[in-house]
Amino acid sequence: MKKETKEKTGSLVSRRNFLKAGGGVAFAVAAYALLPKLDLVEGAPPGEGNLVEQKVFAWVHIRTDGRITIYNPAAEMGQGSMTALPVILAEEMDADWANVKIEQSPIEPDTYGRPGFRGGASMLTVGSRAVSGYFDGLRIAGAQVRQMLLANAAKKWNVPVSRLTTGPSVVIDKSKGRKISYGEIAGFMEIPDSAPKVSKHQLKDPKDFRLIGNADIPRFDIPAKINGSAKYSIDVTLPNMVYGVISRAPVNGSKPRLLNEKMIRGRDGVVDVVTLGHGIGVIAESIETALKTKERLVIDWSEGAKAESHNSESAPAEYAKIAGNPGLRGRDIANMGDATKALQSAQSKYTADYINDHIYHAQMEPLNAVVSVGSDGKSAEVWAGSQAHDGARSAVARTLGIEFSQVKYHPQYLGGGFGRRSTSDYIVEATELAKAAKRPLKLLWTREDDISYGMFRPMSLQRMEAGVDSKGNVAGWKHTIVGTGSRLLASGARNEFYDFPNQKIELRSVDHGIRTKHWRAVGHGANKFAIEAFVDEIAAGQKVDPYEFRLRLMKNHPRARAVLKKAAEMSDWGAKPKSGRAKGIAFGERSGSLCAGVFEISLEDGRIKVHRVWVALDAGIVVQPDNVIAQTEGCILMGLSSVLHESITIRNGRVLESNFDDYQLLRMKDVPDSVDVEIISSSERPTGVGEAALPIVGGAVANAFAALTGKRIRHMPFTRERISDVLGKTA
Amino acid sequence: MAKISFNLNGEDVTVDADPGTPLLWILREELDLTGPKYSCGIAVCGACAIHINGEATPSCITPMSLVEGRKITTIEGLSQDNDHPLQQAWTEEQVPQCGYCQSGMIMFAASLLNKNKKPSREEIDEGMNRVLCRCGTYLRVRKAIEKVIRENG
Ligand code: FES
Ligand code: FES
């Protein structure tokens, strides 16, 4: 293979390896693709200069019988990208979807990656970026495959390509009334030395899409998910496999010393005991022996870890002091005009603190991985569910001191990710234990492990201050965030669609030494709660309807206004709800998508009951509309779960909750009667949908609560105790 | 260790197991039936649900000693060709997301309909309350069950 040819610029020349299919009849098309700079499809004049040669990638496999395999590069964790990404390619390729099969692509970021955050190619599936990140590249790739098919048919018929068109998996010569299927072409197809160039005008006009936006294309993974056959890494069993469990530091940072190693090693069925930096691993012949032995470990944990000083129950009082200390300066997230002056000269001033607790990912499949290390330690095989399959593969290689290529990696379905599975810690642990065991090993985190050694969406306090001038405009806006987790707290703090001429948004970080992590929508959950609830408070103070008030703030943002208006219209905002109920509204943006929602609630038994929810979403072009609705429903329900129930308590660095009996998630009885979702039709590029609706939930529920009771609830989750506190206080 | 015999998805099987071992581990790690999932291990999430004589039960807390002589059905044995009315409705409503809770969801729903052909919305919510879904598929679970009820006439 001529790998050297033209690495830097211009067209790609190397003849890529053919994907050989078993049996020899099948023929593979190796599709070359140039990942375009995003501006290629965005509208810059397409020219050679706009094509950045990234990598060659082989996305498609056409068999002579017409069956087509398209490779999906993203992790599938329930968000549906494994179907959506192939749909994009199939659209431009003009494939007959009925004959398309989807397979997971190999974990080769150089071939299947998209431009990563820090340059380079990445297969990270995070931040709702799969569809938006791959959209242009996959369209180009699909169009290139189509061009190659057209060129081969033209050659066969000896006619100019310009006379030919395509329909679902066929090339058509209208002038002669003849057709040839893609499968037939695959039988004689020649692959050119360089990938055909595709310019913007050769891509389909979105109005001609028949697959993108087609609500009748089902998710590819559903059949395996209704009969128990879908495989997650936890389901993998290998011959001669042993089981690993780990007793991890009860306080992050403390170090273990095993006091009864001899007794442990002497137990029936125990294969090995491994001391790791953060815990003691037990390897045993069966999962029951591993679990029972773990209970018997007597470990002396070192003292003095930083996290010992953290108490989540008293932290808000500390945070409030930090927020109010004029001598402190944090990191500016935004600083425009002069917020301090605008507040001083305002006619009316508002201030309020909002708080959110630590919360846990609670992906239903606890962390686990299966790893087998070669007897010479120079190779490994991995079965894992990860949002960073490429990162995990590298991490295994690093752990063993071997090359990336020496690690064979089998990506599995993820039983939920939500941000937890973009770190490879559990896969590294499995590698360490498998290396010690010298046998294939399945590492299992119990639910208790998954919670007590969890990485949480960090708690924070948001001090909001606003000044309104005599014309009723919000002249000054200050938002001070205090908490642990640093940049995790910053996302969603900016007001992209509300115009505040003078604003200062500042992050004052505290380091508690605890484990924190991205959690679906990251900081948006806390920040949008504070912003949306506070905007409502200002509107109430100004005696303006909160919907009208937001429309005014958004006056320069027609897309945002349209989303908000849609939600208001769907919910019949102006109509009075039946007695005992009230509605609240909120707006938010995440991963480029805009979302607004109205929630109707009542109080039952001292708790908030959500009855109906209306959501409008603008996510640009939507590839799989029904799945976008499903993701939005999922966001609303996961959001409600976090807003109404979820809280991790940390005392002296220890997590008090241990399982789903004391860490409550939303259950069927709490589910609203209806969640109506409407997608705003759009021809803009797609934006992320996996998290888009989640940030609105806290604000909308809090605002409905205020409409119902006249009281503001400002600390998530809105538990029975906090509700009764708020209602009792100034009754 | 003891020999324990039971009927599993229509076949008689005998396994050698510690009577205290939870059925879930035997199904998953010995018998290669991985449809029932481990998630909480303490009977509060429903992911591991199987039927014992037609009734949905968490297999994570069912010791092997209780399995002797019983009829056990896992999701793998619920239907011949994924054609249980609930499985069909699940496909039509596109219920699963990550899918991890779905065996439990379907097994609980099947057990609910075994006992009550026409549960009300409230009875559905009550019957399905033991299964957790982090992805938030509850609305579609409800719709799929209601669809089956409607089609049953
Ligand atoms: S694993 Fe059995 S109920 Fe949760
Ligand atoms: S579908 Fe993911 S937990 Fe239910």
Side-chain angles (χ1 to χ4, degrees):
Chain A
M1 207 175 79
K2 301 177 286 176
K3 223 180 162 211
E4 296 305 285
T5 21
K6 289 252 190 154
E7 279 293 349
K8 286 186 215 93
T9 53
S11 62
L12 181 77
V13 194
S14 88
R15 178 180 284 264
R16 184 67 177 173
N17 53 323
F18 289 74
L19 297 174
K20 286 270 186 299
V25 235
F27 180 82
V29 171
Y32 308 77
L34 302 174
L35 269 181
K37 257 193 189 160
L38 293 183
D39 60 9
L40 176 68
V41 177
E42 273 296 280
E48 297 233 28
N50 288 330
L51 287 174
V52 176
E53 180 183 316
Q54 284 267 343
K55 297 291 181 258
V56 188
F57 37 76
W59 291 103
V60 184
H61 182 149
I62 305 175
R63 290 176 172 79
T64 48
D65 63 6
R67 283 180 299 153
I68 297 169
T69 303
I70 301 178
Y71 297 91
N72 156 54
E76 179 55 60
M77 50 188 157
Q79 86 284 30
S81 319
M82 81 171 297
T83 311
L85 298 183
V87 162
I88 298 166
L89 189 142
E91 178 73 70
E92 291 294 344
M93 172 184 166
D94 232 357
D96 178 0
W97 187 255
N99 288 321
V100 171
K101 197 180 115 206
I102 296 168
E103 274 180 31
Q104 175 75 44
S105 80
I107 302 306
E108 298 283 357
D110 287 348
T111 305
Y112 296 98
R114 59 182 172 81
F117 297 115
R118 292 176 209 91
S122 162
M123 296 180 79
L124 200 58
T125 309
V126 298
S128 305
R129 288 183 182 90
V131 164
S132 60
Y134 277 108
F135 190 69
D136 296 339
L138 290 179
R139 288 185 75 190
I140 300 273
Q144 287 175 319
V145 176
R146 180 171 170 273
Q147 293 296 328
M148 285 189 267
L149 289 158
L150 280 166
N152 276 275
K155 193 168 167 209
K156 165 115 179 158
W157 285 332
N158 199 15
V159 296
V161 172
S162 58
R163 231 170 72 185
L164 306 180
T165 59
T166 56
S169 282
V170 286
V171 173
I172 304 163
D173 179 356
K174 271 218 186 94
S175 63
K176 289 260 163 62
R178 57 186 169 178
K179 283 182 187 177
I180 183 167
S181 72
Y182 286 2
E184 281 173 78
I185 298 173
F188 59 82
M189 184 154 176
E190 281 172 24
I191 309 280
D193 273 344
S194 64
K197 294 217 175 58
V198 170
S199 60
K200 186 193 167 189
H201 68 267
Q202 286 170 295
L203 295 177
K204 284 189 180 174
D205 184 325
K207 74 174 173 10
D208 298 328
F209 286 161
R210 56 183 179 78
L211 302 178
I212 292 176
N214 182 338
D216 295 330
I217 297 181
R219 285 176 57 142
F220 188 80
D221 51 343
I222 300 275
K225 289 179 174 176
I226 59 159
N227 64 10
S229 66
K231 286 278 185 237
Y232 305 80
S233 55
I234 202 168
D235 300 329
V236 172
T237 307
L238 300 175
N240 199 31
M241 187 175 86
V242 289
Y243 294 83
V245 293
I246 299 173
S247 183
R248 295 177 188 77
V251 174
N252 186 40
S254 84
K255 302 266 177 272
R257 198 160 60 86
L258 180 60
L259 301 180
N260 59 342
E261 180 161 350
K262 202 155 159 243
M263 187 281 248
I264 294 295
R265 285 190 182 274
R267 281 173 65 91
D268 233 19
V270 170
V271 174
D272 205 352
V273 181
V274 182
T275 298
L276 303 165
H278 65 297
I280 303 287
V282 174
I283 303 169
E285 295 288 349
S286 72
I287 185 70
E288 308 94 273
T289 306
L291 291 172
K292 280 190 191 143
T293 306
K294 181 174 168 239
E295 299 304 308
R296 298 296 200 85
L297 297 172
V298 180
I299 303 171
D300 176 40
W301 293 100
S302 70
E303 284 178 15
K306 177 168 205 166
E308 276 173 20
S309 63
H310 178 50
N311 285 291
S312 61
E313 292 145 307
S314 56
E318 277 168 54
Y319 292 175
K321 279 195 207 129
I322 294 170
N325 183 339
L328 291 176
R329 256 194 78 89
R331 180 158 71 79
D332 279 353
I333 295 170
N335 194 352
M336 277 168 58
D338 190 336
T340 308
K341 206 165 125 208
L343 283 173
Q344 277 160 2
S345 56
Q347 194 173 65
S348 27
K349 271 194 263 189
Y350 299 87
T351 182
D353 286 354
Y354 296 86
I355 302 165
N356 62 290
D357 291 355
H358 297 300
I359 57 174
Y360 159 62
H361 295 89
Q363 75 295 341
M364 291 307 288
E365 180 194 14
L367 299 174
N368 68 86
V370 176
V371 177
S372 170
V373 176
S375 53
D376 59 356
K378 289 273 175 272
S379 66
E381 218 171 327
V382 180
W383 289 258
S386 169
Q387 293 175 250
H389 285 306
D390 53 342
R393 193 175 164 189
S394 310
V396 171
R398 257 196 323 276
T399 305
L400 296 171
I402 61 178
E403 298 293 318
F404 186 78
S405 60
Q406 291 168 300
V407 178
K408 215 170 153 190
Y409 192 94
H410 307 275
Q412 306 292 311
Y413 282 125
L414 284 66
F418 312 118
R420 178 61 185 90
R421 281 188 159 96
S422 59
T423 288
S424 307
D425 55 339
Y426 56 104
I427 303 172
V428 168
E429 287 179 344
T431 307
E432 286 173 338
L433 296 196
K435 187 178 163 194
K438 301 190 173 62
R439 284 166 66 180
L441 176 136
K442 184 190 288 187
L443 172 80
L444 179 72
W445 289 46
T446 62
R447 179 59 58 191
E448 289 80 3
D449 297 339
D450 210 280
I451 296 185
S452 66
Y453 204 64
M455 301 174 101
F456 307 116
R457 184 181 85 179
M459 66 182 304
S460 63
L461 174 139
Q462 329 264 331
R463 173 150 304 169
M464 312 300 289
E465 295 162 84
V468 178
D469 65 19
S470 55
K471 297 196 202 80
N473 296 316
V474 179
W477 175 271
K478 267 194 188 181
H479 178 173
T480 309
I481 306 165
V482 184
T484 193
S486 138
R487 72 203 155 83
L488 297 175
L489 299 173
S491 98
R494 287 171 189 276
N495 306 291
E496 321 264 4
F497 300 92
Y498 295 154
D499 294 326
F500 301 130
N502 302 291
Q503 54 173 307
K504 184 169 167 67
I505 307 173
E506 186 188 328
L507 171 61
R508 296 185 177 177
S509 280
V510 185
D511 180 7
H512 294 314
I514 60 163
R515 289 155 56 83
T516 57
K517 187 74 181 79
H518 306 82
W519 187 102
R520 197 175 193 176
V522 200
H524 280 66
N527 284 317
K528 294 301 179 209
F529 160 54
I531 294 167
E532 289 301 307
F534 191 53
V535 162
D536 238 67
E537 296 200 33
I538 303 170
Q542 296 292 306
K543 306 207 168 12
V544 182
D545 176 89
Y547 161 62
E548 300 290 340
F549 191 71
R550 283 177 175 79
L551 278 182
R552 266 193 230 163
L553 291 175
M554 293 172 168
K555 64 177 182 297
N556 300 319
H557 304 280
R559 259 181 106 177
R561 285 171 63 96
V563 172
L564 190 72
K565 279 186 174 165
K566 174 56 87 179
E569 174 197 310
M570 288 166 73
S571 65
D572 203 356
W573 175 255
K576 223 177 131 56
K578 58 169 139 162
S579 91
R581 293 194 185 182
K583 288 189 278 198
I585 192 166
F587 168 83
E589 103 298 318
R590 168 72 185 157
S591 309
S593 291
L594 312 182
C595 185
V598 174
F599 287 53
E600 184 182 271
I601 70 159
S602 68
L603 279 181
E604 270 177 26
D605 221 2
R607 294 177 44 204
I608 292 172
K609 168 90 189 154
V610 179
H611 297 277
R612 293 189 292 173
V613 180
W614 299 268
V615 188
L617 176 73
D618 181 345
I621 291 172
V622 299
V623 177
Q624 287 227 277
D626 184 56
N627 186 50
V628 170
I629 292 171
Q631 284 305 299
T632 305
E633 293 166 354
C635 277
I636 296 296
L637 297 189
M638 186 163 168
L640 271 181
S641 183
S642 67
V643 165
L644 299 181
H645 302 292
E646 297 178 39
S647 174
I648 286 284
T649 319
I650 298 184
R651 244 180 240 162
N652 302 323
R654 282 170 197 260
V655 175
L656 298 195
E657 289 73 20
S658 67
N659 206 320
F660 294 136
D661 50 351
D662 53 11
Y663 189 82
Q664 296 286 343
L665 300 179
L666 184 96
R667 288 178 182 271
M668 190 61 113
K669 279 193 204 166
D670 307 324
V671 172
D673 297 332
S674 61
V675 176
D676 293 339
V677 179
E678 279 199 37
I679 300 170
I680 309 266
S681 117
S682 168
S683 54
E684 301 285 326
R685 291 189 76 257
T687 48
V689 297
E691 303 160 292
L694 200 140
I696 64 170
V697 180
V701 173
N703 296 339
F705 181 86
L708 186 67
T709 65
K711 301 285 189 302
R712 297 281 164 183
I713 186 152
R714 301 191 182 100
H715 189 159
M716 296 196 296
F718 309 145
T719 57
R720 192 198 301 265
E721 296 69 38
R722 286 182 187 150
I723 290 169
S724 86
D725 237 30
V726 165
L727 294 181
K729 221 182 262 168
T730 41
Chain B
M1 293 298 234
K3 292 226 176 308
I4 296 163
S5 302
F6 56 102
N7 184 282
L8 178 59
N9 295 335
E11 275 177 49
D12 292 330
V13 296
T14 302
V15 298
D16 215 7
D18 181 331
T21 296
L23 171 61
L24 177 64
W25 297 132
I26 300 294
L27 292 172
R28 291 181 49 80
E29 307 296 333
E30 309 290 334
L31 301 170
D32 205 27
L33 288 172
T34 54
K37 301 299 188 206
Y38 165 74
S39 186
C40 73
I42 58 165
V44 295
C45 80
C48 63
I50 44 108
H51 288 176
I52 301 186
N53 298 344
E55 172 114 22
T57 311
S59 61
C60 65
I61 52 143
T62 303
M64 286 308 289
S65 57
L66 285 186
V67 173
E68 175 71 44
R70 305 290 181 96
K71 196 170 137 36
I72 306 293
T73 310
T74 69
I75 182 82
E76 289 92 342
L78 184 67
S79 65
Q80 288 289 332
D81 299 303
N82 306 329
D83 56 358
H84 188 284
L86 284 166
Q87 288 171 311
Q88 290 174 1
W90 244 244
T91 306
E92 280 153 29
E93 296 296 334
Q94 296 277 290
V95 176
Q97 290 189 26
C98 84
Y100 198 78
C101 71
Q102 297 294 327
S103 320
M105 283 286 183
I106 294 172
M107 295 309 275
F108 263 95
S111 166
L112 172 71
L113 295 186
N114 283 346
K115 283 180 286 191
N116 179 355
K117 287 253 162 309
K118 274 187 180 252
S120 63
R121 172 66 71 91
E122 261 178 19
E123 288 167 328
I124 294 173
D125 287 2
E126 179 71 43
M128 299 304 292
N129 207 50
R130 288 173 71 184
V131 194
L132 287 176
C133 174
R134 184 47 146 177
C135 300
T137 64
Y138 297 117
L139 291 153
R140 288 176 185 231
V141 165
R142 244 191 217 155
K143 273 192 202 144
I145 296 173
E146 287 176 347
K147 185 175 186 114
V148 171
I149 298 169
R150 265 199 320 278
E151 282 162 12
N152 280 347

